[in-house]
Amino acid sequence: MSKKDQYEVKKFYGIPVVNDNSGGYALKMGADGKAKIHTWRTGKHTKGKYRQPGQLLLTENNMMVMIVSAEPMAFKNRHSEVPCQRFLTAEVSPELLERGRQIFSQYQKAL
């Protein structure tokens, strides 16, 4: 693929979220009662723009995810991650983002 056909690729670490009863968002817990960190990347057809941690993205399976962290990713390595469908303009509360960052910190220590 020529350089002109390449696009910027970012890797996103996120936690799936669900709507709560008060119109906000809550972490989606697994069967073990814990929230898990997953990874996605921007794709050629990803809609919207990434702005900052706490922003929501929509996966290709229409799952809402709170972005906890983002980092550049080499174009040649892009096939190791699943692309996201679109970035939403919605954001989570600062408290939920902080909780997500704590989970991400534990995730990084476990690596």
Side-chain angles (χ1 to χ4, degrees), residues 16-60:
V17 295
V18 293
N19 290 317
D20 66 11
N21 293 336
S22 62
Y25 301 98
L27 298 178
K28 183 176 181 180
M29 300 300 177
D32 60 357
K34 297 181 180 178
K36 295 202 176 18
I37 298 284
H38 299 278
T39 56
W40 289 269
R41 67 166 172 94
T42 50
K44 187 173 187 175
H45 302 290
T46 300
K47 307 279 190 257
K49 296 281 184 205
Y50 169 69
R51 291 187 314 274
Q52 64 190 17
Q55 181 178 358
L56 297 178
L57 68 79
L58 198 60
T59 69
E60 293 200 340

Side-chain angles (χ1 to χ4, degrees), residues 4-102:
K4 70 177 182 119
D5 293 332
Q6 293 184 9
Y7 51 91
E8 181 184 17
V9 180
K10 283 194 182 295
K11 180 176 183 177
F12 300 98
Y13 296 89
I15 302 173
V17 295
V18 293
N19 290 317
D20 66 11
N21 293 336
S22 62
Y25 301 98
L27 298 178
K28 183 176 181 180
M29 300 300 177
D32 60 357
K34 297 181 180 178
K36 295 202 176 18
I37 298 284
H38 299 278
T39 56
W40 289 269
R41 67 166 172 94
T42 50
K44 187 173 187 175
H45 302 290
T46 300
K47 307 279 190 257
K49 296 281 184 205
Y50 169 69
R51 291 187 314 274
Q52 64 190 17
Q55 181 178 358
L56 297 178
L57 68 79
L58 198 60
T59 69
E60 293 200 340
N61 295 330
N62 292 323
M63 180 172 45
M64 280 192 305
V65 174
M66 169 183 63
I67 300 170
V68 178
S69 182
E71 61 187 35
M73 182 177 203
F75 187 79
K76 65 181 180 181
N77 297 336
R78 71 190 186 282
H79 294 295
S80 64
E81 302 297 338
V82 177
C84 57
Q85 178 182 342
R86 76 173 49 244
F87 294 104
L88 304 175
T89 56
E91 294 183 8
V92 299
S93 68
E95 296 81 17
L96 188 60
L97 177 58
E98 184 55 36
R99 192 164 162 217
R101 284 186 169 162
Q102 290 170 358

